[in-house]
Amino acid sequence: MRISDKFEELKSRNEGALISYICAGDPSTELTKSAVKALIKGGADIIELGLPFSDPCADGPVIQSATDRAISAGMTPERYFELVSTLQVDVPLVCMTYYNIIYKRGIKKFIEDCSSSGITGIIVPDLPVEESDELGLACAKNKVDLIFLVAPTTNENRLHKILDKSTGFLYMVSRTGVTGGSTDIGTDIADLLTGIKKCTDIPIAVGFGISNRNQVADIISYGAEGVIAGSAFVDIIASGKNVEHRLESLACDLKSGCRE
Amino acid sequence: MNKSKYGIYGGQYVPEILMPALQELEDEYSRYRNDPQFQQDLNYYLRDFAGRETPLYHAKNLSRKYKTKIYLKREDLVHGGAHKLNNTLGQALLAKYMGKKRIIAETGAGQHGTATSMAGANLNLDTLIYMGAKDVVRQKMNVYRMEILGARVKAVESGSKTLKDAINEALRDWVTNVDTTHYLIGSVVGPHPYPMIVRDFQSIIGKEVKEQIMQKEGRYPDSIIACAGGGSNAMGIFYPFIENKDVSMFAVEAGGSGMELTSKAALHSASMCTGEVGVLHGACTKVLQNQNGQILESHSISAGLDYSGVGPELAYLADTGRINPCHVSDEEALNAFHEMSRLEGIIPALESSHALAYVMIKAESGELGDLVVINLSGRGDKDLETVIKAGKWKGGNI
């Protein structure tokens, strides 16, 4: 399913999107499969599936540990695409990985593999818009959305450059820092959102430090089309306790914030 | 060519949050690099605080033994015991001019961390050093040195708990505190403009050599030899000679305990010699990695060369044939360490011992020519424990 279709569908229902991140192969491909099912059952609209990299410099400790567990358990790009192609789901699947993983496989091949396995969008946190031409071309050719991040530090000039190249949705980073922890959802986020929305019609999803329903409700009320939560789900997987059930109920709770 | 690139290498592969900071750094650096006041301040610190210029010393005994006229560029005499301070003074001063209150840095063995702590203390900057938890244990003395100088040292527990993880953690700090903080990178690595800035600050080494060798010999050397991990001392001595095509240049990487790879680690740190093109720590360069693109842990007896990547400009110069990448093993470097100490009365750093070893191995082949300059990038006092542990003690009964 294409990301834009999902946002259209949600718009007609007047709902925000819940985008849920987990790391593929953490701690096993079997668990990833059941975790994806649980997240969708709980209400996740888009699944962001991390393809682990040894040096994830944009991630906080929770996702770093997930990455280490997944690599130790044998996750590779080859196995990742196998896993993705076995997921029988009717929500968009987005790949999150670092640029070296893509570069090493070959940009063209990587994106073709995304396309043929069922990935319809890709997020590369260490690839700024200036370095993205080659990947952007391959994505366009294979109908894979290339999703860029904007940050509180992004100035207007850069924002326009990023918007020019963005497809799918725009990933708005809620604060300076790495993934995880907790973010106070305040007026600065509202201002940032308002500023970006003036310049674009592309859906905006806010991520970094999102873990509870109130945050989600605030972000949606400020005008975002979606939220991204990752570390909160990964924490549950790391605990190893009652994982599927707790993933489902957290997704359900966050999704309820998208409907308020 | 894009100004941030060296051929296909270099660039800026960092999270969006940092892009404006890199732009700011580039703008401010181009504003101050030729500013007379900045230059005057920097020259003052380099002369009166760091002890420049450093001598170009004719190593008579070494020359006699290897039948080649060998000069040593004595960066071991820079305050702190290595060339690292050339860069940290430059960047700390730049941070000061930029109005930053806080500097952070990564360190492997602790040499760059120490040099950063010295500059930070002197220029009144709040200083935090990230160091892999394994390195904190291995290099306890340097941790004390940094702490005595007033810096805080944070042990990094993630990943392989070594230099590459310390860089990741420093990047994470910078992403979080980008408004107040300057990230003081210690080598010619990382996203543009760092490889350029660090090269420029280290180029003082090569500039001095150019004048000194002219005075002493009336000509440029046939070859220049420097060790290369990230490659800052190599770029520093090579760069002013790039256009002098008659001067051969050799970048000696750490061959470690063997040239093999496993799926998780390399037994060496020879990324120019054996690495593949990849993206690490913000730059496209030659990287030690497995077939899936995961970065491999590297190895060298010399902590300062123990890194999975290399500066992008060095990777480019190697591709174009302007410099010759090569490698020597842990054992060869240890032998050179002892030979140099006994022949010349200078204890070299294990890093610099790699450059010395290459000359000792190659001198008689004639490949290096008759007049050779070696960058003696640091002194070896810090390495005594490592040498003893390696079972290579030649200092009598202890």
Side-chain angles (χ1 to χ4, degrees):
Chain A
M1 188 181 196
R2 291 302 297 264
I3 294 167
S4 52
D5 295 338
K6 175 54 85 175
F7 276 102
E8 283 299 317
E9 176 197 316
L10 291 166
K11 195 177 172 185
S12 70
R13 294 209 305 260
N14 202 20
E15 282 178 19
L18 172 63
I19 302 168
S20 305
Y21 168 95
I22 56 172
C23 178
D26 166 31
S28 68
T29 50
E30 286 316 304
L31 189 105
T32 302
K33 285 182 195 172
S34 59
V36 167
K37 286 204 181 96
L39 290 169
I40 295 172
K41 205 167 158 201
D45 300 298
I46 296 174
I47 299 290
E48 186 189 331
L49 205 51
L51 167 53
F53 175 52
S54 53
D55 293 72
C57 67
D59 283 303
V62 171
I63 294 180
Q64 287 169 46
S65 304
T67 296
D68 289 345
R69 288 192 296 270
I71 294 173
S72 303
M75 183 46 66
T76 63
E78 206 65 42
R79 288 182 188 151
Y80 179 87
F81 291 120
E82 274 168 34
L83 165 67
V84 171
S85 59
T86 62
L87 293 173
Q88 302 290 329
V89 296
D90 55 359
V91 302
L93 294 171
V94 171
C95 171
M96 202 298 286
T97 195
Y98 286 79
Y99 194 53
N100 196 53
I101 299 287
I102 301 170
Y103 189 90
K104 186 72 175 80
R105 193 168 181 83
I107 290 169
K108 191 165 157 274
K109 178 167 169 49
F110 191 95
I111 298 301
E112 284 167 5
D113 289 342
C114 284
S115 178
S116 62
S117 64
I119 295 282
T120 56
I122 177 161
I123 301 172
V124 192
D126 63 342
L127 188 73
V129 65
E130 285 83 351
E131 310 282 1
S132 70
D133 287 353
E134 203 180 344
L135 186 64
L137 273 178
C139 283
K141 222 178 210 171
N142 291 282
K143 298 195 168 62
V144 173
D145 291 318
L146 180 52
I147 295 150
F148 285 99
L149 293 87
V150 290
T153 53
T154 307
N155 60 30
E156 203 172 323
N157 182 21
R158 290 193 58 76
L159 175 64
H160 286 289
K161 270 202 254 182
I162 293 167
L163 289 173
D164 272 352
K165 306 256 179 172
S166 291
T167 53
F169 65 89
L170 187 68
Y171 190 138
M172 189 185 115
V173 178
S174 64
R175 52 162 160 76
T176 58
V178 291
T179 56
S182 170
T183 299
D184 291 329
I185 308 302
T187 49
D188 44 340
I189 288 180
D191 293 346
L192 212 58
L193 265 168
T194 315
I196 299 172
K197 286 189 85 71
K198 272 188 204 148
C199 309
T200 185
D201 295 327
I202 196 170
I204 302 169
V206 178
F208 281 39
I210 308 300
S211 58
N212 69 57
R213 172 195 173 140
N214 290 340
Q215 290 173 307
V216 173
D218 285 347
I219 288 169
I220 299 298
S221 75
Y222 294 150
E225 278 81 5
V227 295
I228 304 157
S231 297
F233 292 119
V234 173
D235 258 338
I236 292 174
I237 293 175
S239 77
K241 287 179 197 140
N242 206 6
V243 170
E244 285 86 348
H245 175 72
R246 288 168 62 210
L247 287 176
E248 186 184 331
S249 53
L250 179 60
C252 184
D253 188 42
L254 296 179
K255 180 65 196 183
S256 68
C258 294
R259 295 194 184 99
E260 276 178 19
Chain B
M1 198 194 299
N2 178 329
K3 65 182 165 38
S4 72
K5 295 260 166 108
Y6 309 94
I8 61 166
Y9 302 111
Q12 298 180 308
Y13 298 87
V14 296
E16 171 61 24
I17 299 172
L18 294 180
M19 289 300 287
L22 292 176
Q23 188 62 53
E24 182 197 1
L25 180 60
E26 188 180 345
D27 293 345
E28 298 282 288
Y29 176 64
S30 53
R31 181 170 147 209
Y32 291 121
R33 67 188 299 182
N34 296 316
D35 177 82
Q37 186 61 49
F38 181 82
Q39 283 304 330
Q40 193 185 325
D41 284 359
L42 181 58
N43 287 337
Y44 163 76
Y45 281 108
L46 288 173
R47 186 186 64 233
D48 289 358
F49 184 67
R52 300 208 74 90
E53 70 177 19
T54 60
L56 183 69
Y57 170 70
H58 176 214
K60 288 184 301 296
N61 300 327
L62 206 59
S63 297
R64 194 177 307 121
K65 177 159 182 199
Y66 290 96
K67 302 185 181 71
T68 304
K69 197 158 197 185
I70 299 171
Y71 280 91
L72 305 174
K73 180 57 174 167
R74 296 292 306 275
E75 292 298 299
D76 61 316
L77 296 176
V78 175
H79 176 44
H83 71 294
K84 290 288 181 190
L85 194 67
N86 303 331
N87 169 48
T88 61
L89 279 175
Q91 282 197 55
L93 201 59
L94 185 62
K96 201 84 178 163
Y97 270 68
M98 288 168 68
K100 305 284 180 185
K101 304 266 180 275
R102 176 173 182 264
I103 52 175
I104 56 171
E106 80 292 344
T107 197
Q111 291 305 107
H112 173 58
T114 303
T116 302
S117 305
M118 286 171 167
N122 198 284
L123 292 166
N124 299 314
L125 291 158
D126 180 21
T127 305
L128 177 63
I129 308 294
Y130 287 97
M131 190 170 183
K134 275 190 199 161
D135 292 330
V136 167
V137 176
R138 288 194 286 206
Q139 306 285 341
K140 203 75 202 160
M141 276 302 155
N142 269 337
V143 175
Y144 294 143
R145 282 217 288 177
M146 291 182 268
E147 287 176 344
I148 285 168
L149 289 160
R152 276 196 307 135
V153 179
K154 204 161 175 199
V156 176
E157 299 282 354
S158 58
S160 58
K161 301 181 174 54
T162 60
L163 176 60
K164 78 180 178 71
D165 311 285
I167 297 178
N168 291 331
E169 206 55 33
L171 282 168
R172 291 176 188 124
D173 179 314
W174 201 30
V175 161
T176 311
N177 302 296
V178 61
D179 285 343
T180 59
T181 300
H182 174 68
Y183 178 16
L184 207 161
I185 291 186
S187 191
V188 286
V189 302
H192 176 74
Y194 281 106
M196 172 182 79
I197 292 178
V198 178
R199 174 200 74 201
D200 287 354
F201 286 137
Q202 292 294 0
S203 291
I204 186 140
I205 304 172
K207 282 183 201 148
E208 288 178 2
V209 169
K210 263 191 146 166
E211 285 184 14
Q212 291 167 320
I213 196 85
M214 266 306 188
Q215 260 173 25
K216 289 171 197 284
E217 295 291 333
R219 69 171 181 108
Y220 291 149
D222 296 318
S223 49
I224 301 177
I225 292 91
C227 63
S232 70
N233 89 83
M235 272 317 297
I237 196 166
F238 291 164
Y239 189 64
F241 287 95
I242 296 277
E243 299 304 325
N244 303 102
K245 299 279 157 65
D246 293 339
V247 180
S248 301
M249 301 178 185
F250 297 84
V252 189
E253 301 194 282
S257 52
M259 295 308 286
E260 299 93 25
L261 299 178
T262 70
S263 67
K264 280 200 83 173
L267 301 180
H268 59 83
S269 309
S271 33
M272 260 185 293
C273 292
T274 70
E276 291 170 11
V277 182
V279 172
L280 177 64
H281 298 140
C284 177
T285 185
K286 287 279 181 72
V287 179
L288 299 175
Q289 55 184 319
N290 70 13
Q291 77 276 14
N292 298 317
Q294 307 296 1
I295 308 304
L296 299 174
E297 290 175 36
S298 52
H299 166 79
S300 170
I301 188 154
S302 131
L305 301 182
D306 195 346
Y307 180 56
S308 315
V310 65
E313 192 170 11
L314 280 168
Y316 169 71
L317 292 170
D319 272 11
T320 62
R322 181 63 192 93
I323 66 165
N324 306 286
C326 48
H327 56 84
V328 306
S329 68
D330 284 353
E331 182 157 4
E332 289 163 332
L334 279 164
N335 291 338
F337 171 93
H338 287 294
E339 189 165 342
M340 171 75 174
S341 301
R342 298 206 161 189
L343 275 178
E344 294 291 345
I346 299 170
I347 302 177
L350 278 174
E351 291 78 8
S352 323
S353 298
H354 284 71
L356 294 163
Y358 191 72
V359 172
M360 291 168 180
I361 293 162
K362 290 283 177 182
E364 283 177 41
S365 73
E367 206 179 300
L368 306 179
D370 302 324
L371 183 60
V372 170
V373 174
I374 302 173
N375 197 5
L376 189 62
S377 55
R379 67 172 186 230
D381 309 49
K382 67 182 177 61
D383 293 318
L384 300 186
E385 206 179 321
T386 307
V387 172
I388 294 165
K389 276 189 188 148
K392 288 274 173 182
W393 184 250
K394 293 185 182 171
N397 298 326
I398 50 166

